[in-house]
C-alpha cells in the first residue's frame, strides 16, 4: 500500500522528500503519524494541516478492493511508530540524481532487501537494496523507529551544582547494518565494578543516535543531554559522592528486546538492565565500547578543558574509544 501511495504521484514524492529534508538536521526519518497529522508534529517547518500523502493513502484504501485486507493499517503505522527512514540526505548524491527507490526493513536480513525503483512513467523496477545501492541512489526504508525524548535540564538552587552532560558526539564508522538505521550509543553513569560476569548499579543512562550520513561524513553532533544532575561534593569534604563510573555501550536494535514501556527491563545483547531495581547485569564485555572511573570531581574539572591527545571540541576534552568520540561538559549552576 505504502509503495503504491508513494509512486502514485511526483507531488507525493516531493512532499515526503521535503519533510525528510526538513528533519535531517535532527533525524533521518519522518514518522507516518507526522505524514497523516503534520499539525501535531513536534518539529518546526511542517506548517501544513493536511498532506497529499494522507489524501492519496485514504483514497487508495477506499477505492481498491485489493487493499481491504489491510484493515487498520493506518492505525498500525501510527501506533507502532513506523517511519520513512532515509539513510543519506539529498546532498549526499550528485546533482541531477532523479531516481528513488523504496524498500522496507526485512527483519531477517541485515544486509539487503528487495526494493522498488520508481521510473519516470510512474511504474517501478525491482532492485536489490544494500549499503552500496543506498550510496548511489536515494532510498526510503519503511521501518519501526524507537521514539524517545531528550530531557531538558532544569535547575534552581541557592548553592552551586555541577551538571555532567553528554556534549558533542562523533562516530567515524558504522556500528549497525543498513536496515538498523543510524548507530545508537548508550552513555551511562554506573556504580560499583564492571567485570566479565559481575553485577553493578547505574544512576543514569542516555541514548545518542548518530545518522548514517553523519557517520559517513564524520560530523560532530551536539546533544547536550544531562547525564548527572549534580556531581556533589560538600564544602567541608565530609559528604563526597566520590568517583563516577562512566560507561559507553553500543546499542544494537537488531539484537535487542526493548520493552521498557511495559516491563522495567531493557535487554541489549548480553547486557540486561532492570530499571526499577537499578541493577545492571553484565555477562560479557562485548557491548562496552568504553568504561572509565573518574576518581574525583576536582581532577575531572582540572583536565576537562585540556587536550589529552584527542584534541578539543567546543573547548572541552575529547574522549575516544573504538570509532566514537565525545565530550563530557561539567557545568556549574
Amino acid at each position: 500500500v505504502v509503495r503504491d501511495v508513494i509512486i502514485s504521484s511526483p507531488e507525493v514524492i516531493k512532499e515526503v522528500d521535503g519533510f525528510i529534508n526538513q528533519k535531517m538536521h535532527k533525524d533521518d526519518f519522518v514518522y507516518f503519524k507526522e505524514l497523516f497529522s503534520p499539525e501535531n508534529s513536534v518539529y518546526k517547518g511542517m506548517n501544513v494541516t493536511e498532506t497529499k500523502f494522507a489524501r492519496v493513502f485514504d483514497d487508495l484504501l477506499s477505492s481498491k478492493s485489493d487493499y481491504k485486507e489491510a484493515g487498520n493499517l493506518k492505525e498500525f503505522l501510527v501506533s507502532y511508530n513506523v517511519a520513512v527512514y532515509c539513510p543519506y540526505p539529498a546532498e549526499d548524491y550528485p546533482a541531477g540524481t532523479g531516481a528513488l527507490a523504496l524498500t522496507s526493513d526485512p527483519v531477517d536480513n541485515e544486509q539487503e532487501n528487495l526494493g522498488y525503483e520508481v521510473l519516470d512513467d510512474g511504474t517501478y523496477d525491482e532492485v536489490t537494496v544494500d549499503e552500496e545501492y543506498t550510496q548511489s541512489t536515494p532510498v526510503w526504508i519503511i521501518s519501526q523507529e524507537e521514539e524517545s525524548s531528550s530531557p531538558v535540564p532544569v535547575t534552581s538552587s541557592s548553592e552551586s551544582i555541577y551538571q555532567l552532560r553528554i556534549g558533542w558526539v562523533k562516530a567515524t564508522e558504522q556500528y549497525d547494518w543498513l536496515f538498523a538505521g543510524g548507530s545508537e550509543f548508550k552513555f551511562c553513569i554506573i556504580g560499583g565494578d564492571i567485570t566479565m560476569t559481575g553485577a553493578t548499579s547505574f544512576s543514569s543512562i542516555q541514548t545518542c543516535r548518530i545518522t548514517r550520513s553523519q557517520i559517513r561524513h564524520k560530523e560532530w553532533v551536539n546533544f547536550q543531554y544531562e547525564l548527572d544532575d549534580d556531581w556533589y561534593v560538600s564544602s567541608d569534604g565530609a559528604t563526597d559522592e566520590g568517583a563516577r563510573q562512566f560507561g559507553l555501550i553500543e546499542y544494537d536494535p537488531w539484537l535487542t528486546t526493548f520493552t521498557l514501556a511495559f516491563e522495567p527491563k531493557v535487554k541489549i545483547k548480553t547486557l540486561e538492565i532492570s530499571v526499577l531495581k537499578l541493577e545492571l547485569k553484565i555477562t560479557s564485555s562485548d557491548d562496552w565500547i568504553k568504561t572509565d572511573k573518574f576518581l574525583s570531581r576536582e581532577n575531572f574539572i582540572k583536565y576537562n578543558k585540556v587536550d589529552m591527545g584527542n584534541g578539543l571540541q567546543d573547548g572541552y576534552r575529547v574522549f575516544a574509544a573504538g570509532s566514537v568520540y565525545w565530550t563530557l561538559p561539567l557545568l556549574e549552576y
Side-chain angles (χ1 to χ4, degrees), residues 31-64:
Y31 289 112
F32 278 95
K33 61 186 173 186
E34 295 175 306
L35 295 174
F36 292 134
S37 302
E39 72 278 5
N40 296 325
S41 172
V42 297
Y43 299 94
K44 296 179 180 179
M46 298 185 179
N47 299 316
V48 293
T49 58
E50 185 183 28
T51 65
K52 297 180 179 67
F53 177 90
R55 288 202 304 272
V56 174
F57 187 96
D58 290 339
D59 290 345
L60 200 60
L61 283 185
S62 61
S63 64
K64 290 191 175 184

Side-chain angles (χ1 to χ4, degrees), residues 267-324:
K267 293 182 180 179
I268 307 174
K269 292 184 183 175
T270 53
L271 194 68
E272 183 174 319
I273 301 171
S274 177
V275 177
L276 293 186
K277 294 182 179 179
L278 297 180
E279 293 179 351
L280 185 64
K281 183 179 180 182
I282 303 168
T283 57
S284 169
S285 62
D286 293 343
D287 300 298
W288 293 103
I289 294 176
K290 175 72 170 174
T291 60
D292 265 325
K293 191 166 187 176
F294 305 125
L295 296 179
S296 78
R297 187 186 72 186
E298 301 313 311
N299 276 345
F300 184 89
I301 293 173
K302 182 178 180 181
Y303 295 105
N304 201 28
K305 293 187 177 182
V306 176
D307 181 358
M308 302 291 284
N310 296 306
L312 300 175
Q313 173 66 18
D314 200 20
Y316 288 95
R317 171 188 174 184
V318 174
F319 296 85
S323 300
V324 187

Side-chain angles (χ1 to χ4, degrees), residues 1-55:
V1 176
V2 175
R3 177 199 66 196
D4 291 346
V5 171
I6 289 178
I7 69 173
S8 65
S9 168
E11 292 302 313
V12 171
I13 294 176
K14 182 178 179 181
E15 178 185 65
V16 176
D17 188 53
F19 277 14
I20 291 174
N21 288 334
Q22 286 173 17
K23 292 186 62 179
M24 266 299 186
H25 70 284
K26 180 175 177 63
D27 295 316
D28 49 6
F29 59 86
V30 58
Y31 289 112
F32 278 95
K33 61 186 173 186
E34 295 175 306
L35 295 174
F36 292 134
S37 302
E39 72 278 5
N40 296 325
S41 172
V42 297
Y43 299 94
K44 296 179 180 179
M46 298 185 179
N47 299 316
V48 293
T49 58
E50 185 183 28
T51 65
K52 297 180 179 67
F53 177 90
R55 288 202 304 272

Side-chain angles (χ1 to χ4, degrees), residues 46-317:
M46 298 185 179
N47 299 316
V48 293
T49 58
E50 185 183 28
T51 65
K52 297 180 179 67
F53 177 90
R55 288 202 304 272
V56 174
F57 187 96
D58 290 339
D59 290 345
L60 200 60
L61 283 185
S62 61
S63 64
K64 290 191 175 184
S65 59
D66 293 346
Y67 297 134
K68 287 183 178 180
E69 70 276 9
N72 296 323
L73 176 59
K74 192 171 184 178
E75 180 180 342
F76 173 85
L77 294 173
V78 171
S79 300
Y80 286 89
N81 293 320
V82 182
V84 180
Y85 149 60
C86 184
Y88 299 104
E91 54 265 29
D92 276 23
Y93 302 101
T97 301
L100 169 70
L102 181 72
T103 188
S104 62
D105 182 345
V107 179
D108 59 350
N109 190 327
E110 298 176 339
Q111 301 187 54
E112 65 181 35
N113 193 29
L114 174 67
Y116 306 94
E117 185 173 304
V118 182
L119 305 179
D120 292 337
D121 60 2
T123 59
Y124 57 84
D125 281 339
E126 293 186 353
V127 294
T128 298
V129 176
D130 55 15
E131 180 72 33
E132 183 178 0
Y133 184 89
T134 64
Q135 294 183 12
S136 62
T137 303
V139 175
W140 294 349
I141 299 172
I142 309 302
S143 65
Q144 186 177 11
E145 296 291 338
E146 175 189 347
E147 187 171 38
S148 61
S149 58
S150 303
V152 178
V154 178
T155 59
S156 177
S157 174
S158 59
E159 298 180 2
S160 292
I161 68 170
Y162 291 83
Q163 181 198 73
L164 183 65
R165 292 183 177 184
I166 305 161
W168 293 79
V169 182
K170 175 176 71 172
T172 56
E173 292 183 6
Q174 306 287 354
Y175 273 78
D176 287 313
W177 296 103
L178 171 64
F179 296 102
S183 295
E184 293 186 15
F185 303 100
K186 301 288 185 181
F187 290 80
C188 316
I189 293 296
I190 311 163
D193 296 324
I194 298 176
T195 65
M196 290 288 287
T197 58
T200 184
S201 64
F202 80 96
S203 60
S204 179
I205 185 168
Q206 288 279 23
T207 299
C208 292
R209 187 175 190 273
I210 312 291
T211 68
R212 300 188 78 81
S213 179
Q214 289 164 341
I215 295 172
R216 183 182 184 184
H217 293 291
K218 298 178 172 58
E219 295 178 11
W220 282 102
V221 182
N222 190 12
F223 288 97
Q224 299 302 325
Y225 289 177
E226 179 185 285
L227 192 58
D228 189 335
D229 62 354
D230 187 13
W231 190 338
Y232 178 72
V233 179
S234 65
S235 58
D236 59 4
T239 306
D240 188 342
E241 290 188 356
R244 285 291 184 275
Q245 186 90 331
F246 168 85
L248 173 58
I249 308 166
E250 194 277 315
Y251 175 88
D252 189 347
W254 275 94
L255 301 176
T256 300
T257 302
F258 195 94
T259 56
L260 186 59
F262 307 100
E263 281 186 27
K265 285 189 177 181
V266 180
K267 293 182 180 179
I268 307 174
K269 292 184 183 175
T270 53
L271 194 68
E272 183 174 319
I273 301 171
S274 177
V275 177
L276 293 186
K277 294 182 179 179
L278 297 180
E279 293 179 351
L280 185 64
K281 183 179 180 182
I282 303 168
T283 57
S284 169
S285 62
D286 293 343
D287 300 298
W288 293 103
I289 294 176
K290 175 72 170 174
T291 60
D292 265 325
K293 191 166 187 176
F294 305 125
L295 296 179
S296 78
R297 187 186 72 186
E298 301 313 311
N299 276 345
F300 184 89
I301 293 173
K302 182 178 180 181
Y303 295 105
N304 201 28
K305 293 187 177 182
V306 176
D307 181 358
M308 302 291 284
N310 296 306
L312 300 175
Q313 173 66 18
D314 200 20
Y316 288 95
R317 171 188 174 184

